[in-house]
Amino acid sequence: MKLTLETYSCNYETYNKWYFEDIADRIYKKHNSKNIGYDTKVIKLDGKNIQSQRSPSGIWSRSIFVYLDDKLTYIIALSNTNYDEDKLVECNKIGKKSTYGVHNYHANTYLVQGINKNFEIYHKYKQEHSNITLLFYMTDIEQSYPHNKFNLMCYRKLATIGFEILNIDKIDFYEFKEIKKGAILNKNNLHYTSLNEFINDSLVISRNNKGNIPSYMNTFDDYNSNGEKQTKYIYIFKALGAQTYDSFLTMWTIYELAKKENKNVEFLFSKEQYNFNDRKNIKTTKNLAGSIISLFKTLGIDIKYETSDEIRQELNRQKDQFNRAKKNNELRNQELFKNNMRARGIQTKCCLCGCEIENILEEAHIWGIAELKKADTKTIRSVISNKAMQDLIDITSEHKDDDFYKKYMIANSGDNGIWLCSNHHGLFDSHYFCFDSENGKIIINTQKLQENSSLMEFFNKITTNRQLPNEVMSEKTKIFLSKNQINIE
């Protein structure tokens, strides 16, 4: 088997340091052949400046074209790198000091920066070479960025949409254990198995970035063309700068998972300066670039967008829901409650056993609806007057002094909820246990559980966590937990 690796002149020295040899060896192994050597073909680029970080117009230089017996078989998409031997050669020729070896490339540019170009060049060549395969290859693997959690998640996204990373065996997924507890990740099981699993991992990444507003998933009741009720999922997130490229990969992953699970998913971008997390006028998001929208069309992916007008319609919809709730004296708005919980950026899995199965995962009220309805005006005003509750009530609302409005806002506050599986939710609502309001530790109603020894045994068996996660314990949540203590004797 004759093997030829073709690259652009701006990258020949950089990739020649050992990448060519490693790629050749891996290609031979894919075809169950022994490495008997390879030829290199260099495409000369015009221009005085030779730098791998800037591709000349009309090409994408961070690619290697692999020919087997003179037939184009693979396109290798290479990650971003600051270890540029070609730039060093160029600087030496003109007597300029080189910055070769700088370690400061960002995590969100290592793989996803320009990933849309990788797919563009792949589909460009695929028109003439229908059997070619796109592979990814990570450079500078000995450095830290290829192994951080952001990039580990990118590798899982690629696996989910069906693309292989040629040297994924060089990555140690041990650092991913806090996201995927109890599971062993390796090159054979990288793909996400559910939309919920993927969203949860996304929240871990975004929540750990202090300068980032967490992305989150909203759900709404919708109806199909046959008038049948179905759930619509809307993923809300930002697309600024390099995030645009990660958004491309994220949306593609969500699309594939939703299609697999037969879920109706849309994506929300507002051209306005709008923060979807706390509804203040802060610039946090904008629409995707036209090149990415065009690429989605090339890929045959049907991406639906919500517009700014539809955002306003949704806000009006919430007002209509409140008016109906007041008329019917019904505090519970499960759709609003669930979406307010999601907007907090808390992982959607049971706080006590880690269950992520959507069909048995439920949103549980801490201060229960029945107890809240019984609460007198003095109690409600005492809670609302707390400093932590200042943003709970919309002071511009015509209902701001109405006790029903205050109870409605408390009932459907995301801080008044925790995710529990149906087993734990049933036991919680039946007052078999509650949580300490300071640290979230489980307080067991020993008297009730001891009346049924088999139930006590079952509870102990399914309860792997005995304390609410720190991320749940906001100041509002602590106040709501204190109102639940009356259920434990």
Side-chain angles (χ1 to χ4, degrees):
M1 182 175 70
K2 178 184 177 183
L3 176 64
T4 304
L5 304 179
E6 182 180 85
T7 189
Y8 293 100
S9 57
C10 64
N11 287 120
Y12 180 72
E13 294 292 340
T14 299
Y15 298 157
N16 197 39
K17 62 180 182 179
W18 60 266
Y19 299 138
F20 285 154
E21 183 68 30
D22 189 50
I23 288 172
D25 190 52
R26 292 173 183 277
I27 293 297
Y28 275 115
K29 287 180 180 178
K30 284 183 72 67
H31 291 265
N32 299 314
S33 298
K34 183 179 179 181
N35 189 342
I36 57 173
Y38 59 92
D39 297 324
T40 56
K41 180 180 178 182
V42 180
I43 305 173
K44 179 67 177 177
L45 294 177
D46 296 330
K48 297 180 180 179
N49 293 326
I50 302 174
Q51 186 184 153
S52 64
Q53 300 298 318
R54 298 289 182 264
S55 296
S57 177
I59 70 160
W60 183 240
S61 63
R62 285 201 290 274
S63 303
I64 292 177
F65 302 89
V66 179
Y67 292 82
L68 299 183
D69 295 328
D70 298 321
K71 181 181 180 180
L72 181 58
T73 307
Y74 300 103
I75 293 180
I76 310 290
L78 297 117
S79 61
N80 197 10
T81 176
N82 272 358
Y83 290 84
D84 194 343
E85 297 279 357
D86 289 271
K87 186 177 179 182
L88 177 63
V89 171
E90 175 190 348
C91 290
N92 288 339
K93 285 182 178 179
I94 62 177
K96 182 180 177 180
K97 185 178 180 180
S98 172
T99 56
Y100 165 78
V102 177
H103 294 198
N104 65 349
Y105 52 94
H106 300 295
N108 65 347
T109 66
Y110 173 74
L111 181 71
V112 300
Q113 179 84 346
I115 196 167
N116 58 316
K117 295 290 186 181
N118 294 134
F119 285 103
E120 283 179 7
I121 199 76
Y122 167 59
H123 279 272
K124 174 184 175 182
Y125 279 86
K126 196 172 180 65
Q127 293 176 10
E128 297 182 7
H129 309 272
S130 59
N131 293 324
I132 61 170
T133 300
L134 176 64
L135 300 172
F136 287 81
Y137 184 88
M138 297 175 291
T139 58
D140 302 328
I141 204 73
E142 70 279 4
Q143 303 302 322
S144 61
Y145 281 114
H147 306 270
N148 69 23
K149 291 181 179 63
F150 176 88
N151 283 306
L152 296 182
M153 190 170 178
C154 288
Y155 309 151
R156 298 199 68 193
K157 292 177 189 178
L158 282 174
T160 303
I161 64 176
F163 290 90
E164 177 188 349
I165 298 175
L166 200 55
N167 58 340
I168 193 66
D169 58 295
K170 294 296 184 180
I171 292 295
D172 181 1
F173 283 88
Y174 176 78
E175 290 296 327
F176 219 63
K177 61 182 173 53
E178 70 182 51
I179 296 177
K180 197 68 178 165
K181 290 183 178 179
I184 299 175
L185 286 174
N186 58 53
K187 64 179 182 179
N188 296 318
N189 72 337
L190 285 180
H191 65 280
Y192 282 100
T193 58
S194 71
L195 180 59
N196 194 53
E197 179 194 11
F198 174 66
I199 296 301
N200 282 339
D201 282 3
S202 299
L203 291 173
V204 170
I205 299 296
S206 61
R207 191 177 59 250
N208 287 337
N209 183 349
K210 295 181 179 179
N212 190 26
I213 303 299
S215 304
Y216 59 97
M217 182 77 82
N218 268 2
T219 58
F220 300 101
D221 292 335
D222 197 15
Y223 297 87
N224 61 23
S225 57
N226 296 323
E228 299 169 333
K229 186 177 179 181
Q230 62 181 19
T231 300
K232 179 169 75 173
Y233 297 77
I234 298 182
Y235 189 61
I236 305 171
F237 59 102
K238 299 183 292 185
L240 297 171
Q243 291 173 334
T244 298
Y245 307 108
D246 181 46
S247 295
F248 162 72
L249 192 54
T250 296
M251 292 170 72
W252 192 349
T253 304
I254 290 174
Y255 176 86
E256 292 296 335
L257 290 170
K259 184 171 64 174
K260 176 182 176 183
E261 299 173 22
N262 197 29
K263 289 181 175 177
N264 179 14
V265 173
E266 295 186 6
F267 302 91
L268 180 54
F269 289 92
S270 172
K271 295 180 182 178
E272 299 172 345
Q273 294 183 347
Y274 199 86
N275 182 324
F276 298 103
N277 203 35
D278 58 15
R279 303 190 186 285
K280 293 180 181 178
N281 289 321
I282 301 174
K283 184 177 181 181
T284 61
T285 190
K286 65 179 182 180
N287 207 343
L288 286 174
S291 61
I292 290 181
I293 294 174
S294 176
L295 182 55
F296 274 130
K297 291 180 180 178
T298 301
L299 296 169
I301 297 176
D302 182 19
I303 296 295
K304 298 179 181 178
Y305 295 90
E306 291 263 319
T307 66
S308 298
D309 287 339
E310 288 171 315
I311 297 170
R312 283 187 281 271
Q313 289 174 15
E314 180 53 39
L315 296 178
N316 291 332
R317 180 169 177 263
Q318 292 180 14
K319 292 179 182 178
D320 292 340
Q321 287 177 338
F322 170 76
N323 290 332
R324 288 195 301 272
K326 185 175 182 181
K327 180 180 179 180
N328 298 324
N329 193 30
E330 178 55 61
L331 294 179
R332 187 190 305 271
N333 182 336
Q334 208 68 9
E335 180 183 284
L336 176 63
F337 178 51
K338 181 186 293 187
N339 288 333
N340 283 341
M341 287 180 63
R342 290 180 184 276
R344 286 189 65 193
I346 305 299
Q347 292 191 84
T348 49
K349 59 184 180 182
C350 179
C351 293
L352 302 184
C353 67
C355 172
E356 296 183 50
I357 303 173
E358 193 169 6
N359 291 342
I360 60 174
L361 189 65
E362 300 172 353
E363 55 279 4
H365 286 86
I366 296 172
W367 193 357
I369 299 296
E371 289 78 12
L372 191 53
K373 281 185 175 181
K374 297 175 186 177
D376 57 28
T377 300
K378 181 179 179 181
T379 300
I380 295 301
R381 289 181 178 176
S382 174
V383 170
I384 294 298
S385 64
N386 192 288
K387 184 178 179 180
M389 297 289 179
Q390 287 182 351
D391 62 347
L392 184 63
I393 301 299
D394 182 1
I395 61 174
T396 66
S397 171
E398 59 182 300
H399 307 288
K400 65 180 184 298
D401 297 320
D402 185 352
D403 276 358
F404 177 84
Y405 173 75
K406 293 173 183 176
K407 288 184 178 183
Y408 181 84
M409 298 305 288
I410 289 173
N412 300 299
S413 166
D415 295 88
N416 189 33
I418 52 176
W419 295 103
L420 295 175
C421 68
S422 55
N423 285 327
H424 280 113
H425 190 184
L427 292 170
F428 180 67
D429 283 354
S430 298
H431 311 313
Y432 282 95
F433 68 93
C434 69
F435 300 94
D436 178 84
S437 59
E438 286 301 314
N439 54 34
K441 288 185 177 180
I442 288 179
I443 301 174
I444 296 176
N445 190 334
T446 307
Q447 182 177 348
K448 288 196 71 171
L449 276 177
Q450 283 181 341
E451 293 174 355
N452 189 331
S453 59
S454 60
L455 185 58
M456 173 70 91
E457 182 180 351
F458 176 72
F459 177 81
N460 289 332
K461 185 176 181 180
I462 67 170
T463 308
T464 54
N465 302 321
R466 296 279 173 163
Q467 185 172 351
L468 292 175
N470 291 333
E471 62 181 359
V472 173
M473 296 295 290
S474 69
E475 291 305 311
K476 288 192 187 74
T477 298
K478 290 179 180 180
I479 294 171
F480 294 138
L481 286 171
S482 70
K483 299 302 176 184
N484 190 270
Q485 304 302 299
I486 58 173
N487 298 319
I488 303 297
E489 298 178 359

